Amino acid sequence: MQKNQPVDIFSSNSGQTASQVSRDALNEAQYAAVTHGNGPVLVIAGAGSGKTRTLVYRMAHLIEQGVPPESIMLLTFTRRAAQEMLYRAAQLTDQSCRRVIGGTFHATSNMLLRQHGHHLGFPPGFTIIDRGDAEGIINLLKSSLGLAGAGKRFPSKRIIMNLMSGAINKARPLEELVFENHIHLSEFVDDFHTIRDHYNQFKLDHGLMDYDDLLVNWQRLLAESDTAGAEISGRFQYILVDEYQDTNLIQAEIVRLLARDHDNVMVVGDDAQSIYSFRGADFYNIMRFPNQFPGTKVIKLEQNYRSTQPILSLTNSIIEQAEEKFTKSLFTEIEGGVRPEVFSGGSEAIEARFVVDSIDKLLKEGTPKNEIAVLFRSGFHSYKLEMELTSRYLEFEKRGGLKLTESAHIKDALSFLRIQVNPWDNLSWNRILLQLDKVGPKTAQKILSTISENDNPAKALATYKPAPSWKQGFTQLLELLQRLQDSNLTPGGQFDLIMEYYQPIFEKIYHDDYPKRSKELEHIRALIGGYGDLQSFVDDTALDPPESGAAEQNTTPEEGRLILSTIHSAKGLEWDAVFVIGLAEGRFPHQNAVPGEQWEEERRLLYVAATRAKKQLFLTYPRQLMTPDRKLRHAVMSPFLREINPGLYHQESQAPQASRSYSASSGFGLPEPTRTSKKTLSARVEYSPGMLVQHPLFGPGKVKSIPGPRRLEIAFDRHGDKILHLDYAKLELIS
């Protein structure tokens, strides 16, 4: 245990109250947050500063002060975080914290909409659809609206879904996102609106909600229904929110509406770790919180329990250059530590070799494999490293991949369960019918049109006359549906019946790899055995799906692997030794990042990466990069590293032709920064800042800057600043 780190006293508190032990378990700032009275409080929790501990003791303190557990709501971004906090708080309060309403925004919305959704006309039996289901609906609509088919150049379902979801989460008009990020798709804006209208109607007709609907409809419930709003706000007298910097505008509005009658809201977060704008997270939610809740008390948690001081001194230097921030400086009482290391390699291959040599050294010194991580901005930045690791027979795990319930065979099996809780779920019915031999999409749609208008679709299906070619399979399906109606069946029993029917179909459809897929179905069987009601299981598989690869979940720490991960996937995690690679200008920050909020989020991304390290931190970059047209270009250190005092790190470099020895040099000379070109060429026009141009949609404007290859930043008179790609922008010079 690190020196002076507060100790959690749970099962061993021998009758002591939470307040009696919290003085020993909390530092001064944490204690101030935990014992705050009524009214709004913003806790700025630096990396590794014990924000979870603070929320745990806050819940325990409120209950000790006589607040009923049922009147406390804890909102998080992962179910695991909520469960951990509630478990730890329960240890301090004789289990009464288990009655706190705690969960993710989406799971809590699901619960409240099933209880109060009737005020907006929503039945309690709606089905939650995941991203794959939503994109499937988009595909159906594209076909039915005549927007897809042979010879038609229409955007993919993924792009359409990204635009529709982005418009909701970022609270911006859909066409604005098209013009900003997909200007070459501007001709389809009206079609996007048409698809969105039909998509919303389809969900309404079939009792479906996607992830975005859960938040939108919760906000509507609080804002539009006086009865529901008053009841929910009155029921929850204390609101606690974790990771507030990751909230979008809808979530921030939900928090405001929840606390409208009492303002007893504590939000915990770190503005310096706001890195999810691509998901709709709004950095300014945490910055504007004191203005939205007048009288807010701001408490800063600056004592770090994760990293050594040399690492913290460097990370403080990264973030102190931020344009907007809550000023703080992380410190620790952990003794010792070595300075972070910055390595400059002549090429990406040499950079990768240095990283692997350093990993070899760490392993020989006793650092466990699973306590070493290599982080990068984008997934493809690790390719050279992966090749080097493979050639040296070092196993690694690259983070990411499909969720278990996104796999086709899992969706097949779950569709039978979903129609049990929502008989009008046409997506699931369609999937079930298409499993029948000799039944195609047209026949499936014909059956659906017959049964979907009935009060009991399963009963109506039994009256349908099948063709002789698929009558046998149809009869077996009817027998299964009849057996599933047995009220004595548990969710696990229902799944066993489904697998008895589905197994031969499964082996036929997935004949190439069904043994491997079978293990995942067994994992679902194990999961469902822990549920007493089917609705909860179906909701959980949509709201918080388990990871695929059940075998990997049984890996013990001794069998752990070296971790390769994007920085976004690494947030919230920590390792003894961390390498951050690819820290070259044009790669980090990304070449398309422009000064302003994009640039500042890239800075925060590096801060998040560096604060994952507990004992050793390595920052590396290559001095040559391969361009998309397979040409080598000179690269220099990221501007974020150039801003750091060189005395905060140790420097090493390696020439392009070099051997495997890496010599440190106190007289290390950083290469001169490349000058940003003031001009860029399109096919026929040479553009430079100050030029006046005309765009067919945005009208007249002036070129402000050239942020990247074949890109212009233009200030338009009527539409503000836009970044346009010269391959798509139809610009004309104004003489």
Side-chain angles (χ1 to χ4, degrees):
M1 185 170 294
Q2 305 290 1
K3 181 181 177 183
N4 295 328
Q5 182 170 352
V7 180
D8 277 325
I9 308 174
F10 297 136
S11 56
S12 60
N13 63 13
S14 303
Q16 288 181 293
T17 63
S19 62
Q20 288 173 317
V21 300
S22 61
R23 275 294 189 183
D24 297 324
L26 303 170
N27 63 39
E28 185 177 340
Q30 291 170 337
Y31 187 79
V34 165
T35 57
H36 173 75
N38 290 341
V41 58
L42 169 61
V43 180
I44 301 297
S49 63
K51 70 177 179 63
T52 298
R53 179 191 303 271
T54 302
L55 284 167
V56 165
Y57 275 87
R58 174 63 173 172
M59 284 187 282
H61 174 77
L62 288 173
I63 291 173
E64 187 180 272
Q65 298 302 306
V67 176
E70 299 84 357
S71 68
I72 302 172
M73 176 183 286
L74 169 68
L75 294 172
T76 67
F77 278 85
T78 67
R79 181 167 65 169
R80 180 178 299 177
Q83 289 175 335
E84 178 190 353
M85 289 184 208
L86 292 174
Y87 171 77
R88 291 172 58 181
Q91 300 295 96
L92 291 170
T93 59
D94 296 327
Q95 306 302 315
S96 57
C97 261
R98 292 193 177 278
R99 303 203 304 275
V100 170
I101 301 301
T104 64
F105 276 89
H106 292 87
T108 306
S109 172
N110 173 55
M111 176 195 72
L112 293 174
L113 285 170
R114 293 196 190 281
Q115 294 173 358
H116 304 279
H118 60 276
H119 291 290
L120 296 179
F122 297 119
F126 61 82
T127 294
I128 302 166
I129 58 174
D130 64 15
R131 176 62 180 250
D133 291 331
E135 290 183 356
I137 296 172
I138 297 299
N139 248 6
L140 288 174
L141 294 174
K142 282 170 59 179
S143 296
S144 65
L145 293 169
L147 299 173
K152 296 198 174 180
R153 186 181 59 88
F154 199 78
S156 70
K157 60 185 179 182
R158 181 183 61 83
I159 291 292
I160 298 170
M161 199 68 228
N162 285 345
L163 288 168
M164 295 196 311
S165 183
I168 293 170
N169 286 289
K170 297 178 182 180
R172 296 177 62 189
L174 189 151
E175 57 268 23
E176 215 173 84
L177 297 184
V178 174
F179 295 150
E180 185 174 291
N181 301 310
H182 303 279
I183 189 66
H184 57 297
L185 302 180
S186 56
E187 64 183 285
F188 302 113
V189 165
D190 290 341
D191 293 324
F192 293 154
H193 281 290
T194 300
I195 289 175
R196 181 170 64 179
D197 291 343
H198 281 77
Y199 174 67
N200 289 334
Q201 189 61 48
F202 185 97
K203 290 182 294 181
L204 193 62
D205 291 343
H206 298 97
L208 308 175
M209 285 194 199
D210 61 25
Y211 295 150
D212 295 333
D213 293 327
L214 291 172
L215 296 182
V216 170
N217 291 329
W218 186 8
Q219 188 271 336
R220 285 185 56 209
L221 190 66
L222 294 170
E224 297 177 17
S225 171
D226 293 338
T227 302
E231 186 174 338
I232 294 170
S233 181
R235 175 182 172 188
F236 299 106
Q237 290 295 301
Y238 289 87
I239 312 299
L240 309 177
V241 187
D242 187 25
E243 303 283 14
Y244 192 71
Q245 79 280 348
D246 293 337
T247 55
N248 61 26
L249 288 170
I250 301 173
Q251 289 163 325
E253 178 66 6
I254 286 170
V255 172
R256 189 188 69 79
L257 291 169
L258 283 170
R260 62 188 176 190
D261 294 333
H262 49 70
D263 280 358
N264 293 329
V265 55
M266 171 186 281
V267 300
V268 180
D270 185 4
D271 54 294
Q273 296 187 68
S274 179
I275 59 172
Y276 292 119
S277 66
F278 66 94
R279 295 180 185 169
D282 191 328
F283 167 76
Y284 292 100
N285 280 346
I286 196 167
M287 303 303 294
R288 67 169 71 98
F289 184 86
N291 294 328
Q292 290 185 325
F293 288 88
T296 292
K297 182 176 182 179
V298 179
I299 299 173
K300 298 176 184 178
L301 306 184
E302 298 174 286
Q303 183 170 356
N304 178 282
Y305 298 100
R306 173 189 298 158
S307 309
T308 60
Q309 191 59 52
I311 292 174
L312 294 179
S313 296
L314 184 138
T315 57
N316 286 335
S317 181
I318 292 171
I319 206 64
E320 71 184 10
Q321 305 294 330
E323 292 181 357
E324 292 188 72
K325 60 184 179 294
F326 285 101
T327 303
K328 60 182 178 298
S329 181
L330 298 183
F331 67 94
T332 186
E333 294 181 356
I334 299 172
E335 296 177 352
V338 295
R339 281 187 300 167
E341 191 165 314
V342 171
F343 174 79
S344 164
S347 66
E348 288 183 84
I350 293 172
E351 178 191 28
R353 195 177 306 147
F354 167 79
V355 172
V356 178
D357 284 347
S358 300
I359 290 171
D360 266 336
K361 183 180 178 182
L362 289 168
L363 294 173
K364 289 174 183 175
E365 292 171 350
T367 304
K369 277 185 185 177
N370 59 324
E371 281 293 343
I372 303 173
V374 184
L375 308 182
F376 30 85
R377 193 199 174 284
S378 300
F380 65 89
H381 291 170
S382 67
Y383 289 164
K384 281 282 194 293
L385 176 64
E386 291 173 44
M387 288 190 287
E388 183 71 19
L389 287 167
T390 301
S391 71
R392 307 270 283 273
Y393 301 102
L394 277 172
E395 291 188 339
F396 60 88
E397 174 189 342
K398 190 170 182 179
R399 292 285 166 88
L402 285 175
K403 297 290 187 182
L404 181 61
T405 49
E406 291 173 353
S407 303
H409 56 294
I410 303 297
K411 281 182 173 290
D412 285 347
L414 293 182
S415 61
F416 294 95
L417 298 174
R418 287 171 53 165
I419 63 169
Q420 302 306 305
V421 297
N422 180 6
W424 297 275
D425 181 354
N426 272 20
L427 278 180
S428 294
W429 274 117
N430 189 61
R431 196 170 198 101
I432 290 167
L433 293 171
L434 289 175
Q435 293 169 16
L436 296 174
D437 196 22
K438 307 297 185 184
V439 172
K442 288 185 177 179
T443 303
Q445 287 302 311
K446 185 178 178 182
I447 297 171
L448 284 175
S449 65
T450 303
I451 68 173
S452 59
E453 300 298 324
N454 198 285
D455 290 340
N456 189 331
K459 188 175 180 179
L461 186 66
T463 65
Y464 194 87
K465 301 297 183 185
S469 60
W470 48 275
K471 182 176 181 180
Q472 182 179 353
F474 184 73
T475 302
Q476 292 172 344
L477 172 60
L478 293 178
E479 290 174 356
L480 169 67
L481 296 176
Q482 181 63 37
R483 295 173 71 188
L484 288 174
Q485 297 304 309
D486 186 344
S487 59
N488 294 320
L489 283 173
T490 63
Q494 288 179 304
F495 189 76
D496 287 342
L497 284 180
I498 290 166
M499 285 308 302
E500 182 182 323
Y501 165 84
Y502 178 63
Q503 188 69 35
I505 299 173
F506 163 67
E507 292 181 9
K508 183 177 181 180
I509 296 175
Y510 306 102
H511 58 89
D512 288 339
D513 62 349
Y514 76 84
K516 178 183 176 182
R517 292 174 182 257
S518 292
K519 294 178 181 178
E520 296 182 338
L521 286 166
E522 287 298 321
H523 188 48
I524 292 292
R525 187 194 301 271
L527 287 175
I528 198 171
Y531 285 80
D533 71 285
L534 189 57
Q535 181 75 67
S536 297
F537 174 76
V538 171
D539 286 350
D540 283 352
T541 56
L543 290 167
D544 194 15
E547 298 287 347
S548 62
E552 290 182 7
Q553 298 183 9
N554 297 322
T555 302
T556 64
E558 291 76 24
E559 298 168 335
R561 295 180 178 183
L562 169 74
I563 300 299
L564 272 57
S565 175
T566 62
I567 300 169
H568 287 100
S569 296
K571 186 173 176 291
L573 304 176
E574 57 186 50
W575 295 272
D576 283 349
V578 170
F579 296 80
V580 187
I581 65 173
L583 290 171
E585 186 170 24
R587 175 166 285 186
F588 206 135
H590 190 273
Q591 66 175 3
N592 293 337
V594 296
E597 181 49 32
Q598 288 181 343
W599 187 274
E600 290 303 305
E601 181 158 326
E602 295 281 308
R603 184 197 309 281
R604 297 193 294 268
L605 197 60
L606 177 58
Y607 175 81
V608 166
T611 53
R612 301 307 96 198
K614 293 190 285 186
K615 298 177 181 178
Q616 290 179 272
L617 174 64
F618 301 83
L619 306 170
T620 73
Y621 70 96
R623 295 197 301 275
Q624 282 186 331
L625 287 172
M626 186 73 73
T627 62
D629 56 358
R630 303 201 59 76
K631 293 180 180 178
L632 285 175
R633 72 169 177 85
H634 180 62
V636 298
M637 176 188 281
S638 165
F640 299 143
L641 289 186
R642 293 205 298 269
E643 292 171 345
I644 299 172
N645 182 341
L648 295 177
Y649 54 80
H650 176 69
Q651 307 167 125
E652 292 194 17
S653 71
Q654 177 62 39
Q657 70 276 10
S659 67
R660 293 188 178 229
S661 61
Y662 302 92
S663 58
S665 170
S666 58
F668 176 78
L670 294 177
E672 285 295 316
T674 53
R675 302 289 180 187
T676 302
S677 174
K678 292 186 178 180
K679 296 184 179 182
T680 186
L681 291 173
S682 68
R684 288 181 279 179
V685 180
E686 183 180 87
Y687 293 96
S688 60
M691 280 187 170
L692 299 180
V693 296
Q694 177 78 26
H695 187 274
L697 288 171
F698 300 135
K702 180 187 288 188
V703 176
K704 288 183 65 177
S705 67
I706 301 163
R710 303 198 56 72
R711 285 174 171 77
L712 297 178
E713 182 183 16
I714 302 173
F716 288 102
D717 297 348
R718 296 192 301 272
H719 293 275
D721 294 353
K722 305 287 181 187
I723 296 176
L724 303 181
H725 197 295
L726 290 175
D727 290 343
Y728 302 119
K730 299 175 182 177
L731 294 176
E732 295 180 6
L733 286 177
I734 300 176
S735 57

